[in-house]
Amino acid sequence: MANFFEDNQDCKYYLEKWIDWEPLVRFTEYDFKAEDGFTSVEEAVEFYRDILHLVGKFSANEIAPRVEEIDASKHELRDGVVVAPEPVQQIFDGIKELDLHGMCLPRELGGMNCPLLIYYMNSELIGRAETAVMSHHSFHGGIAMAMLMYSILEGSTKYQVDPPKIVETRFADQIADIARGDAWGSMDITEPDAGSDMGALRCKGEQDADGNWYVTGQKIFITSGHGKYHFVVARTEKSKGDDSFEGLKGLSLFLVPAYEGNGVGDRKWLASIEGLEKKMGHHGSATVSAQFDRTPAMLVGQRGDGFKLMLLLMNTARIAVGFESLGLCESAYRLAKEYAAQRPSMGKMIDRHEMIAGYLEDMETDIQAIRALSVYAGYHEEMAQKLRMHLYAFVDEDAPERKELERKQKEHQQKSRAVTPLLKYFASESAVEIARRAIQIHGGVGYTTEYGAEKLMRDALVFPIYEGTSQIQSLMAMKDNLMRVMKQPQTFLREMASARTRSLTGRDEMSRRVAKVQFYCLDAIKHLIVKVAAAKVKDLRHRPMGSWWMKLSKDWDPKRDFAPAMLHAERLTILLTDKAIAEILLDQATRHPERREVLVRFLERAEPRAQYMHNVIT
């Protein structure tokens, strides 16, 4: 029987060798002090393997065979209710039966208590079968985990120390609703004429004299927005002027139930579904527009924290899109490889023709690179969240170990933040390219609907758009890296000098080659910093000399001052991505010699690409 986990040796490498399970399992299992938890890392990891095996089997045998049927069917809007097509409903009945919606929830809230990283890895397996199913699935357990995270951050979750467990959390009823498979949620951000520019959002949050909150406005392009629970970003404070950055400060986050009750017949609707989008791909998931008209809402966190809180949810969502894109890449690669091995042309199968063999190797290398970046991002994001929760629940403000734990939490968060936009960019753009290559390898039949290659292309095209476009990811990566240099110029110069030296004198050839990629990237950043600084100095001529030092040392506005670098944001993102992946693969090759071959193949492609991007930027 087919299994999408067991047939993937690269995926199994991460479970078995590369992931540092010790700290992650200890934080997940309350340091093995919980009443009904695992008693060792080995026991926990074996359970995680069982979950991956289960989902790999379900994806291969229950989801994948229904892909054509799902793609040909469609959701329908009947009397304001979105009705799922039968094959999609059957799959989610199966997911509900396996209790997968509560996979990452703590046991005391009815979940399996798996790490978020296992959920991410499962995202690849389900995404390889059908990305639309994975997309909808993510708005079940993912939204439940967001409810728990937000409750912890605002201080409305209470823990018991001995034995450790959650004894109270604000959204317990909603979380239980989702864990049972009776409901799901969504992220409601986009509005007409306000997508990536969240500062332009107009949906309003208003409070009455008794302290009750209500939300009014329209939200569009809501994936799985026909569910019960909506995280809605709405404006509660008036912005000053037309500055979009200023506008972000006036946003708050609300949890808004769209209806009361569970059964379709006994629902009392509090919001209305106004439309159902007709899409190029992802036919197995619904994308809707919703209208709120003084709909009762629950404020999450503090007024004005909406943008900050939504970013926390979007960061995990962007990592999930990386894994989802990875699943589609794996599907397209295997489809192309299988076809090429069976299609004769000019006296041999086309996978024996050099160009096609080169295409397939490029696809495999990119997939392994995406997986390396995905697992790295997912691991550090989860460690940052687990440490934050641990500090909140179990560590006193004056505890001697607190400073060290805070340092580790910040370190993991910085690593996650550094690579998350790179992952979202690289994985989503690669999904489009690998799907296109799959069509090309199929030739004429790839353009027909018979083989499924064109369907993968249609599904892939949304990845560079949703959860923040590729261009938004590039601007974030550019801004973060330039700001880092502004804050720590000496550290940056030492890092650059070290890369230069190692590229020339490093003992190991692979270390030298990776250092060369690092140097190309860092030198490009230096060039952009010089351009930005030159423009800043030019601007100072029109200001009093007494204000120059403040303007040069502290008063940096990325929106205004980084204009000379914005032109090259995507090129810099490609450089940063090659650097990050090369570093991860070098670490793997150092610890596990069998991974050296993966690094060699990646560097064969990354080195000339990095040199080219460096040359264009400089």
Side-chain angles (χ1 to χ4, degrees):
M1 190 172 281
N3 191 303
F4 284 172
F5 174 67
E6 299 298 342
D7 71 0
N8 192 324
Q9 293 303 313
D10 193 60
C11 189
K12 290 167 75 173
Y13 162 78
Y14 289 92
L15 178 82
E16 295 167 358
K17 292 189 176 183
W18 194 66
I19 296 170
D20 183 8
W21 288 114
E22 174 75 25
L24 183 53
V25 171
R26 283 193 175 276
F27 283 120
T28 303
E29 291 294 327
Y30 299 132
D31 203 20
F32 307 115
K33 295 174 182 175
E35 289 178 315
D36 54 354
F38 295 119
T39 57
S40 70
V41 173
E42 293 73 22
E43 186 183 1
V45 174
E46 191 57 37
F47 176 69
Y48 305 157
R49 180 193 298 278
D50 291 343
I51 293 294
L52 289 163
H53 176 90
L54 175 71
V55 175
K57 181 180 175 182
F58 183 81
S59 299
N61 300 290
E62 300 298 329
I63 303 177
R66 298 178 178 177
V67 165
E68 275 190 59
E69 194 181 357
I70 291 170
D71 191 47
S73 61
K74 60 181 180 179
H75 288 74
E76 295 182 9
L77 184 60
R78 302 177 192 165
D79 299 324
V81 177
V82 176
V83 180
E86 188 61 28
V88 174
Q89 189 58 54
Q90 288 174 356
I91 286 169
F92 278 88
D93 288 344
I95 291 174
K96 179 178 180 178
E97 192 174 323
L98 294 173
D99 286 331
L100 293 181
H101 294 316
M103 181 189 301
C104 298
L105 291 171
R107 293 184 186 90
E108 55 268 40
L109 296 179
M112 296 182 185
N113 204 48
C114 286
L116 189 62
L117 190 56
I118 296 299
Y119 163 80
Y120 282 142
M121 294 173 75
N122 280 321
S123 299
E124 176 190 344
L125 306 181
I126 298 175
R128 176 177 157 188
E130 171 56 77
T131 55
V133 169
M134 182 56 232
S135 178
H136 183 44
H137 175 58
S138 69
F139 287 98
H140 292 73
I143 292 294
M145 284 300 295
M147 291 174 178
L148 176 59
M149 178 183 69
Y150 286 143
S151 176
I152 291 170
L153 290 175
E154 70 179 13
S156 59
T157 293
K158 307 301 179 188
Y159 282 85
Q160 175 180 292
V161 175
D162 188 20
K165 65 177 180 180
I166 295 171
V167 293
E168 179 186 332
T169 190
R170 180 184 179 189
F171 303 116
D173 292 341
Q174 293 86 349
I175 290 171
D177 213 4
I178 293 173
R180 288 192 305 269
D182 293 337
W184 64 87
S186 61
M187 292 191 302
D188 300 18
I189 304 174
T190 306
E191 299 175 10
D193 303 318
S196 298
D197 183 8
M198 288 180 63
L201 296 179
R202 296 187 297 273
C203 184
K204 292 190 301 182
E206 300 172 293
Q207 192 175 28
D208 67 14
D210 297 322
N212 301 307
W213 283 98
Y214 301 90
V215 164
T216 300
Q218 184 185 24
K219 295 289 183 178
I220 63 173
F221 299 152
I222 312 168
T223 306
S224 298
H226 55 311
K228 186 174 184 179
Y229 301 112
H230 294 240
F231 276 118
V232 180
V233 181
R235 184 165 303 285
T236 56
E237 324 300 322
K238 291 183 179 179
S239 59
K240 300 173 183 176
D242 298 325
D243 190 327
S244 61
F245 281 90
E246 184 67 33
L248 295 176
K249 299 174 184 177
L251 301 175
S252 299
L253 183 66
F254 297 90
L255 181 59
V256 186
Y259 58 84
E260 294 174 346
N262 282 321
V264 174
D266 68 351
R267 290 178 184 173
K268 176 186 176 184
W269 286 90
L270 308 171
S272 59
I273 305 301
E274 299 289 306
L276 186 60
E277 301 297 341
K278 297 176 181 178
K279 300 174 295 185
M280 177 188 297
H282 282 244
H283 294 162
S285 76
T287 305
V288 310
S289 58
Q291 183 70 42
F292 303 95
D293 185 7
R294 282 191 62 80
T295 304
M298 293 172 272
L299 178 67
V300 179
Q302 301 296 315
R303 295 176 64 143
D305 281 351
F307 180 66
K308 179 178 70 175
L309 291 173
M310 185 52 69
L311 278 184
L312 288 173
L313 187 53
M314 289 194 74
N315 282 344
T316 58
R318 285 165 177 167
I319 294 172
V321 172
F323 278 91
E324 191 180 336
S325 300
L326 174 59
L328 187 140
C329 290
E330 187 74 41
S331 181
Y333 166 65
R334 288 177 183 257
L335 188 71
K337 186 178 181 181
E338 181 181 353
Y339 179 81
Q342 298 172 356
R343 172 71 164 90
S345 179
M346 303 176 194
K348 54 185 175 182
M349 299 301 171
I350 63 172
D351 66 346
R352 307 303 298 169
H353 288 279
E354 288 77 8
M355 282 191 291
I356 302 302
Y359 280 174
L360 291 169
E361 189 179 88
D362 284 345
M363 293 159 82
E364 180 185 20
T365 302
D366 282 346
I367 287 168
Q368 290 175 317
I370 296 167
R371 191 173 288 114
L373 197 59
S374 298
V375 175
Y376 180 93
Y379 180 85
H380 288 291
E381 178 64 23
E382 179 162 22
M383 282 298 296
Q385 290 187 19
K386 287 281 165 66
L387 276 161
R388 184 187 292 119
M389 293 179 187
H390 180 77
L391 285 162
Y392 164 79
F394 303 116
V395 183
D396 294 334
E397 289 292 334
D398 55 353
E401 71 271 23
R402 188 173 184 90
K403 274 194 175 180
E404 177 60 16
L405 288 172
E406 287 176 340
R407 184 194 66 78
K408 287 182 178 179
Q409 193 277 334
K410 186 177 180 181
E411 184 179 297
H412 285 296
Q413 196 66 70
Q414 287 173 339
K415 287 180 177 179
S416 170
R417 177 171 178 138
V419 300
T420 295
L422 310 183
L423 169 62
K424 172 63 171 65
Y425 180 95
F426 179 53
S428 59
E429 294 290 339
S430 295
V432 175
E433 178 56 24
I434 288 173
R436 194 196 70 78
R437 284 280 175 94
I439 292 176
Q440 192 71 20
I441 289 170
H442 278 77
V445 298
Y447 195 66
T448 70
T449 60
E450 182 181 356
Y451 283 74
E454 60 82 33
K455 188 260 185 193
L456 293 174
M457 185 68 179
R458 287 188 284 108
D459 285 346
L461 283 167
V462 76
F463 291 145
I465 298 172
Y466 73 5
E467 305 298 354
T469 66
S470 291
Q471 291 66 42
I472 289 293
Q473 306 310 309
S474 297
L475 291 173
M476 286 174 58
M478 179 272 297
K479 176 183 73 70
D480 279 1
N481 278 273
L482 265 61
M483 288 300 293
R484 180 176 69 90
V485 177
M486 300 291 187
K487 292 175 181 177
Q488 299 176 313
Q490 295 303 319
T491 301
F492 172 78
L493 291 173
R494 285 194 297 270
E495 185 182 350
M496 187 173 165
S498 173
R500 175 70 171 168
T501 301
R502 284 183 285 107
S503 72
L504 299 171
T505 63
R507 292 183 180 180
D508 178 72
E509 180 195 359
M510 292 298 104
S511 296
R512 292 196 298 273
R513 293 172 68 181
V514 170
K516 189 68 173 176
V517 173
Q518 292 171 323
F519 178 75
Y520 281 136
C521 181
L522 297 171
D523 192 56
I525 291 173
K526 185 192 79 170
H527 176 82
L528 292 176
I529 287 288
V530 170
K531 294 274 283 185
V532 165
K536 183 82 166 176
V537 169
K538 186 177 179 181
D539 181 58
L540 291 179
R541 291 181 302 175
H542 307 291
R543 298 176 180 272
M545 188 175 293
S547 69
W548 286 12
W549 171 246
M550 178 63 73
K551 291 288 181 183
L552 284 172
S553 62
K554 294 181 179 179
D555 188 16
W556 287 92
D557 179 355
K559 182 184 175 184
R560 179 190 67 237
D561 297 325
F562 288 177
M566 288 181 181
L567 175 66
H568 295 292
E570 284 198 73
R571 299 183 184 96
L572 180 61
T573 299
I574 293 169
L575 264 172
L576 289 163
T577 304
D578 280 338
K579 173 179 176 289
I581 293 170
E583 290 168 352
I584 295 166
L585 293 179
L586 178 62
D587 173 71
Q588 293 180 6
T590 302
R591 291 199 270 159
H592 307 115
E594 71 271 22
R595 299 294 289 179
R596 190 177 179 92
E597 181 263 342
V598 181
L599 173 61
V600 169
R601 277 191 286 110
F602 178 75
L603 286 174
E604 285 174 353
R605 293 151 177 81
E607 286 171 305
R609 184 168 56 228
Q611 183 177 13
Y612 172 74
M613 291 299 171
H614 170 270
N615 289 347
V616 174
I617 290 172
T618 59

